[in-house]
Amino acid sequence: RATRSLHSAAAQRAGPSRAEPGCESSGSRQSPGRPSLTAMSFLRRLLWGATAGVGAAGAIDFWRQDERAFRTVFMPVVHRLLDGEDAHRLGVWAAKHKLFPRSTHRPAESMRVSLWDLHFDNPVGLAAGFDKNGEAVEGLARWGFGFVEIGSVTPLPQPGNPKPRVFRLPEDQAVINRYGFNSEGHEAVAKRLTQYRADESRTPCILGINLGKNKLSESAVDDFTQGVTKFAHMADYLVVNVSSPNTPGLRNLQARKELDELIVGVLSARDEACKGARKTPLLLKIAPDLTKQDKEDIASVVTSRHVDGLIVSNTTISRPETLKGASREEMGGLSGRPVRDLSTEVIGDMYKLTKGQVPIIGVGGIANGRDAYAKLRAGASLVQFYSAVTYHGPPLVKRIQRELEELIVKDGLTSVSEAVGAAAPQVDRVIASAARPGLASCGSMDPFFRIPDQARLPPVVQGAHTEAATTAAPSSASAGSGHSPFELR
């Protein structure tokens, strides 16, 4: 009897075990129009499944380095979440930590270039400005670049110009920056590159080091010679950058007298650093905003002083009327698609003025294989890009290489070097694969990139020399490149 009483009390507390026919307990009623719990659970699972599917597809596209996915999904998301400089820093950080998979594209043999005494696996390189402090050389080499140029590196650390200082113009596929040589300085970068060079497992990559001057420096010549001395043994080639519009007075060094004095100083420093050995190639990076006289003066100095090469060109201080981006009036250097044709024109001019005897690295507005090919035909032996990564991501490297290969085949050429200067037939072209004579390198420690001594050609091409030139270039004051409201002074 006691047991039955307990069971009866428990049953009353729990309520009826099942509803009577035609009746429904209040706890199981559903409000009109509301899906059942089973339907809600199904929808929730469907949503999670779709999210997981999209995530998996995105991960596959990322791992496969799908160019369309980067252009239409990944990069626009980054642009929505981050401003220009933060997105830039994220890219460097991701490359530093090797978060992007290694490129699976293998350039054809027709893409190989031999210049100075270096072997370039392909002619497509990364321009200076992306990795300013040599943080991510290994990660960038994995993207498939034929060479990577870091910098600009200044002697002393400096923060650069105030923020904000990077502005995207998506409608124009362009960027305006006024970084102002923000740099960690020679010592920090040299320490980092020493560690990089000591890593025997690193990806083979030709390394260029772009040198700058401190904003408050009293002597540009001293700043650049310090850079040459510091990095001559670490670089495969060195670059003297006198063309950034974001350091007051820097572009004045492109004037004939000032440029000649600078070139004499840096060549002397290079020769001293590499005494008794092959001299690390020294290149000059110039602006696109030059008068006819400026170009003639620069050509005269680099040929008479036997500068090893030119990089054409840096950002422009001009503002085409076709610009649509909201930030088009910001001060600084404009890069990307709007500078493409201007850069190609200057490449052609300098190729003709130097009679094809000074190798040129063409940079400015390259976003596909056709852009790169146009610069090669204008006179460039190698090409670089940077701004297009902002909109297309790392997969753009293999796309440019693939399209360039197709154009070479279409034109019936056997080597990319055969295209160099093809648009300037009146110039008696120097053999593009000519190597500089000399002894063992004092630059790169990568013998993989060195042309054997027996394969070297006579020292009559491509600015070849074993000692610094002593012939003085004619001097006269240049009008310079003038000033623009978009140039920092």
Side-chain angles (χ1 to χ4, degrees):
R1 192 180 301 113
T3 301
R4 284 197 299 272
S5 298
L6 287 173
H7 282 304
S8 176
Q12 289 176 359
R13 286 196 299 271
S17 59
R18 79 184 163 191
E20 295 295 330
C23 299
E24 187 175 43
S25 66
S26 59
S28 64
R29 290 195 185 98
Q30 300 292 327
S31 58
R34 181 178 177 181
S36 68
L37 292 177
T38 302
M40 287 292 290
S41 177
F42 173 76
L43 290 173
R44 188 178 298 111
R45 291 177 182 177
L46 182 63
L47 179 61
W48 277 109
T51 303
V54 170
I60 292 173
D61 285 340
F62 183 89
W63 185 254
R64 291 175 57 237
Q65 294 288 281
D66 184 270
E67 199 272 334
R68 178 178 294 182
F70 269 83
R71 185 181 71 251
T72 61
V73 180
F74 298 139
M75 302 312 294
V77 168
V78 170
H79 293 179
R80 181 172 291 273
L81 297 177
L82 301 173
D83 66 16
E85 184 162 354
D86 287 341
H88 179 186
R89 289 301 311 157
L90 175 64
V92 175
W93 179 86
K96 175 182 179 179
H97 294 280
K98 307 180 187 68
L99 299 186
F100 297 105
R102 185 185 300 274
S103 174
T104 57
H105 180 74
R106 293 294 174 264
E109 287 193 16
S110 61
M111 295 284 282
R112 295 178 181 175
V113 176
S114 295
L115 194 61
W116 303 299
D117 56 354
L118 297 170
H119 283 302
F120 293 81
D121 185 55
N122 70 82
V124 181
L126 177 66
F130 183 81
D131 186 4
K132 293 176 176 292
N133 296 300
E135 301 174 66
V137 179
E138 169 61 22
L140 294 169
R142 291 161 58 96
W143 293 11
F145 285 110
F147 59 108
V148 170
E149 187 175 315
I150 68 162
S152 294
V153 188
T154 59
L156 300 176
Q158 65 178 27
N161 293 319
K163 300 179 182 179
R165 52 192 180 181
V166 182
F167 309 90
R168 292 184 292 253
L169 285 70
E171 301 90 341
D172 307 291
Q173 293 289 287
V175 175
I176 293 175
N177 91 82
R178 51 172 180 262
Y179 270 121
F181 283 170
N182 50 314
S183 173
E184 294 180 7
H186 286 176
E187 293 302 325
V189 175
K191 180 179 179 180
R192 190 173 290 127
L193 292 180
T194 299
Q195 294 172 346
Y196 163 74
R197 288 293 196 189
D199 182 5
E200 296 182 356
S201 66
R202 70 185 184 278
T203 302
C205 182
I206 290 177
L207 176 65
I209 301 180
N210 187 298
L211 306 174
K213 67 175 286 292
N214 283 116
K215 182 177 181 179
L216 301 179
S217 173
E218 296 182 357
S219 172
V221 175
D222 287 349
D223 277 19
F224 283 112
T225 55
Q226 287 179 46
V228 169
T229 301
K230 189 71 176 180
F231 294 106
H233 296 267
M234 298 182 187
D236 291 301
Y237 69 87
L238 293 167
V239 182
V240 174
N241 183 359
V242 294
S243 51
S244 170
N246 301 318
T247 296
L250 184 68
R251 286 193 169 189
N252 294 338
L253 296 174
Q254 295 175 120
R256 187 169 189 150
K257 180 180 179 181
E258 289 79 0
L259 181 62
D260 187 63
E261 178 184 351
L262 173 63
I263 293 301
V264 168
V266 294
L267 285 176
S268 176
R270 190 275 310 272
D271 294 346
E272 180 64 25
C274 298
K275 184 177 292 185
R278 172 283 217 168
K279 300 173 177 63
T280 306
L282 189 69
L283 284 66
L284 178 72
K285 187 167 186 176
I286 64 174
D289 312 300
L290 298 170
T291 65
K292 183 175 181 292
Q293 185 64 53
D294 291 333
K295 297 172 189 175
E296 292 175 354
D297 290 345
I298 291 172
S300 175
V301 172
V302 299
T303 54
S304 65
R305 294 297 183 185
H306 301 287
V307 173
D308 296 296
L310 288 169
I311 297 185
V312 185
S313 66
N314 213 316
T315 57
T316 180
I317 54 177
S318 65
R319 294 294 184 269
E321 295 181 358
T322 55
L323 290 181
K324 301 176 182 177
S327 300
R328 60 185 179 275
E329 298 298 328
E330 291 288 345
M331 294 178 63
L334 173 69
S335 61
R337 187 168 60 192
V339 78
R340 178 188 60 195
D341 295 341
L342 176 60
S343 166
T344 303
E345 178 184 348
V346 179
I347 290 170
D349 291 342
M350 298 309 297
Y351 183 78
K352 295 171 187 175
L353 288 168
T354 59
K355 297 180 173 59
Q357 297 184 29
V358 179
I360 295 173
I361 299 179
V363 55
I366 294 176
N368 54 54
R370 294 186 306 277
D371 299 337
Y373 196 46
K375 283 178 167 45
L376 293 171
R377 287 176 51 82
S381 297
L382 304 167
V383 295
Q384 295 175 325
F385 70 94
Y386 159 24
S387 296
V389 175
T390 302
Y391 297 102
H392 298 267
L396 183 60
V397 182
K398 66 179 181 182
R399 174 189 165 192
I400 291 177
Q401 292 173 355
R402 185 180 65 251
E403 292 178 350
L404 192 53
E405 290 170 9
E406 294 170 354
L407 290 167
I408 294 297
V409 172
K410 181 180 178 181
D411 282 357
L413 306 179
T414 60
S415 168
V416 68
S417 296
E418 293 178 13
V420 177
Q426 67 273 27
V427 177
D428 293 329
R429 292 194 296 154
V430 177
I431 299 175
S433 61
R436 290 160 36 89
L439 305 176
S441 168
C442 77
S444 169
M445 301 176 189
D446 285 322
F448 173 82
F449 296 116
R450 296 293 170 198
I451 297 175
D453 288 342
Q454 62 269 24
R456 295 176 177 171
L457 298 178
V460 295
V461 293
Q462 300 289 4
H465 64 288
T466 55
E467 297 296 336
T470 56
T471 305
S475 61
S476 64
S478 170
S481 57
H483 293 295
S484 162
F486 303 108
E487 179 181 9
L488 276 68
R489 286 184 277 174

